């Protein structure tokens, strides 16, 4: 029996084919595959690249890029999928048009249906992303504690705990938190974080989508035109922060206290007071920063998505 023909081991062509098959596994994707992948994940690509750009331009530092980009990319991915689900559900329930059809119609205005769709999708994204965002934000607070310790020379009982957070990176800080408060310590203040992000993200996306729609109608353009996108982006940052800032203040205060206490030590829960001026300390700076970041972010986000949408998908035309 000509064994070389049955196994391919003795035939040069078969050996070459086998090598090519093995090599192809490690080869970079073809241009057609890359375009298909880009079209499929355009929201994630646009969100991540725009997050890096806006954070670096506004903050001027590379340190928060990884955590901010991860949180924002996942949040936008969830929101994008959720708004299509809610849009279809609202249309089935009411027997009317889908909110996504309404908002993309030239000359349209926000309706209860569109506000409900974007608000519900935003709240869903905010609630889910809290599981990822809470530990990241908690570790960021350790840097603030380090700065405060450098400015003060207190000798309280809590000093050893506070000093343990000085000059450490994200992962070392997380290990320190676990050391003092256990694994659950990474989610200290989770309920306040969940409340803030659920409400804040709902307002954030409602304001952006509706603001973009209104500006496009007044301007007589599409809702992805540069001016409506930039103004709506800046506006959503301003409005969302103004609405949830007292919750954020209470969350930050509680989490900071948790970081300075060892396991088993009680931490007093602060009250959320919307009509207390002390709860709005630092609001102006936060709103200005958020406005700039979101103007840059959404301008880049819509441009990247538009460019990817213009690509012809060779695999799924």
């Amino acid at each position: 029996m000509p064994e070389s023909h049955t196994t391919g081991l003795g035939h040069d062509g078969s050996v070459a084919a086998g090598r090519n098959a093995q090599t192809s596994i490690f080869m970079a994707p073809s241009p057609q595959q890359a375009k298909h992948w880009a079209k499929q994940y355009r929201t994630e690509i646009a969100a991540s690249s725009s997050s890096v750009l806006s954070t670096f331009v506004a903050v001027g530092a590379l340190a928060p890029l990884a955590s901010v980009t991860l949180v924002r990319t996942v949040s936008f991915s969830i929101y994008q999928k959720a708004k299509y689900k809610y849009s279809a559900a609202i249309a089935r329930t009411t027997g009317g048009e889908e909110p996504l059809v309404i908002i993309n119609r030239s000359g349209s205005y926000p309706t209860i249906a569109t506000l409900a769709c974007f608000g519900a999708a935003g709240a869903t994204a905010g609630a889910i992303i809290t599981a990822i965002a809470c530990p990241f934000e908690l570790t960021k607070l350790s840097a603030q504690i380090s700065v405060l310790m450098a400015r003060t020379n207190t000798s309280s009982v809590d000093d050893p705990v506070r000093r343990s957070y000085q000059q450490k990176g994200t992962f070392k800080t997380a290990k320190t938190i676990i050391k003092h408060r256990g694994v659950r310590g990474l989610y200290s203040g989770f309920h306040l974080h969940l409340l803030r992000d659920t409400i804040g993200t709902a307002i954030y996306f409602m304001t952006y989508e509706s603001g973009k729609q209104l500006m496009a109608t007044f301007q007589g353009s599409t809702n992805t035109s540069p001016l409506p996108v930039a103004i709506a982006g800046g506006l959503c940052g301003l409005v969302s922060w103004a609405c949830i800032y007292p919750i954020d203040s209470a969350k930050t205060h509680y989490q900071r206290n948790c970081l300075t206490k060892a396991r088993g030590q009680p931490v007093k829960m602060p009250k959320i007071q919307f009509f207390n001026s002390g709860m709005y300390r630092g609001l102006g700076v936060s709103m200005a920063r958020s406005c700039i970041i979101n103007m840059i972010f959404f301008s880049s986000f819509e441009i990247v998505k538009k460019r990817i949408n213009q690509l012809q998908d060779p695999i799924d035309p």
Side-chain angles (χ1 to χ4, degrees), residues 9 22 34 42 57 153 183 215 220 223 239 247 249 265 307:
L9 295 176
Q22 292 176 355
R42 57 187 177 275
V57 170
N153 294 313
V183 176
M215 283 299 303
N223 59 9
V239 175
I247 304 175
S249 296
Q265 289 183 300
R307 292 292 178 85

Side-chain angles (χ1 to χ4, degrees), residues 125-288:
I128 295 174
I129 203 63
T130 303
I132 301 174
C134 187
F136 279 123
E137 287 203 18
L138 194 64
T139 55
K140 288 179 186 178
L141 287 176
S142 68
Q144 298 178 12
I145 293 175
S146 179
V147 172
L148 290 173
M149 282 296 298
R151 294 177 180 175
T152 60
N153 294 313
T154 58
S155 57
S156 67
V157 177
D158 293 332
D159 277 355
V161 178
R162 295 182 183 182
R163 278 195 291 267
S164 66
Y165 293 107
Q166 286 186 287
Q167 299 177 346
K168 289 186 176 180
T170 301
F171 293 106
K172 287 186 178 180
T173 298
K175 288 176 65 177
T176 304
I177 293 172
I178 294 172
K179 174 184 175 182
H180 292 308
R181 299 189 63 83
V183 176
R184 292 180 62 184
L186 291 173
Y187 287 90
S188 299
F190 178 81
H191 56 297
L192 291 172
H193 199 135
L194 178 64
L195 180 65
R196 185 202 69 177
D197 280 9
T198 301
I199 297 173
T201 312
I203 296 171
Y204 179 84
F205 281 112
M206 274 197 299
T207 305
Y208 174 68
E209 300 282 11
S210 301
K212 189 173 61 170
Q213 182 185 12
L214 285 171
M215 283 299 303
T217 297
F218 294 152
Q219 193 185 27
S221 61
T222 64
N223 59 9
T224 57
S225 297
L227 185 60
V229 167
I231 292 177
L235 189 63
C236 74
L238 293 173
V239 175
S240 59
W241 266 116
C243 292
I244 55 94
Y245 202 76
I247 304 175
D248 182 71
S249 296
K251 178 196 77 73
T252 302
H253 181 73
Y254 179 77
Q255 288 181 325
R256 187 181 292 125
N257 288 343
C258 287
L259 285 173
T260 59
K261 302 289 184 181
R263 191 186 316 198
Q265 289 183 300
V267 180
K268 185 179 179 181
M269 179 64 64
K271 293 181 179 179
I272 301 172
Q273 299 172 308
F274 284 94
F275 300 103
N276 183 347
S277 60
M279 301 293 286
Y280 292 90
R281 192 175 293 112
L283 175 61
V285 175
S286 295
M287 288 178 67

Side-chain angles (χ1 to χ4, degrees), residues 31-142:
Q32 291 79 10
Q33 291 173 325
K35 287 181 181 179
H36 177 70
W37 182 84
K39 295 275 283 188
Q40 189 174 2
Y41 296 101
R42 57 187 177 275
T43 298
E44 290 79 6
I45 294 171
S48 58
S49 59
S50 300
S51 181
V52 170
L53 174 65
S54 60
T55 304
F56 181 73
V57 170
V59 180
L62 292 172
L65 281 182
S67 58
V68 170
T69 301
L70 173 64
V71 169
R72 184 170 280 171
T73 301
V74 175
S75 177
F76 269 72
S77 180
I78 296 170
Y79 170 75
Q80 187 73 7
K81 292 176 175 63
K83 75 176 181 180
Y84 280 98
K85 297 289 186 181
Y86 284 119
S87 179
I90 289 172
R92 287 195 303 269
T93 303
T94 62
E97 286 185 298
E98 287 197 24
L100 291 180
V101 173
I102 296 172
I103 198 170
N104 287 314
R105 183 184 299 128
S106 179
S108 63
Y109 292 91
T111 65
I112 294 176
T114 60
L115 292 173
C117 175
F118 302 132
T124 301
I128 295 174
I129 203 63
T130 303
I132 301 174
C134 187
F136 279 123
E137 287 203 18
L138 194 64
T139 55
K140 288 179 186 178
L141 287 176
S142 68

